[in-house]
Amino acid sequence: ALAVQVKPGLITDEVLEEVCVIGTPADVARLLHSRYGDIANRVALSLPYRAAPGLIEDLLREMRSTK
């Protein structure tokens, strides 16, 4: 895995939102489905931190229920 640190303010929030999916598990599930639902049948997540207990399970549950 490649970890890159960027000077704060160098990348705008708009650019970050174009290349990343950020939010609650429900937000992430909705955004992944809207962006990739018609073209992908799998996604890979990269978490640069230790996920809070239950976060991955919540996300998977939301992704399975999002159509």
Side-chain angles (χ1 to χ4, degrees):
L2 175 65
V4 177
Q5 292 187 356
V6 178
K7 184 177 177 182
L10 191 59
I11 297 177
T12 65
D13 288 346
E14 291 80 17
V15 170
L16 189 63
E17 290 171 1
E18 285 296 317
V19 297
C20 299
V21 179
I22 303 167
T24 66
D27 293 338
V28 170
R30 182 182 46 77
L31 287 168
L32 286 173
H33 188 269
S34 69
R35 287 186 190 182
Y36 307 111
D38 294 337
I39 60 172
N41 58 15
R42 295 180 188 183
V43 296
L45 302 176
S46 174
L47 300 174
Y49 55 86
R50 187 175 181 101
L55 179 69
I56 301 299
E57 292 81 1
D58 290 348
L59 177 58
L60 290 173
R61 184 174 42 258
E62 291 290 342
M63 289 183 73
R64 288 181 183 121
S65 68
T66 300
K67 300 291 180 213

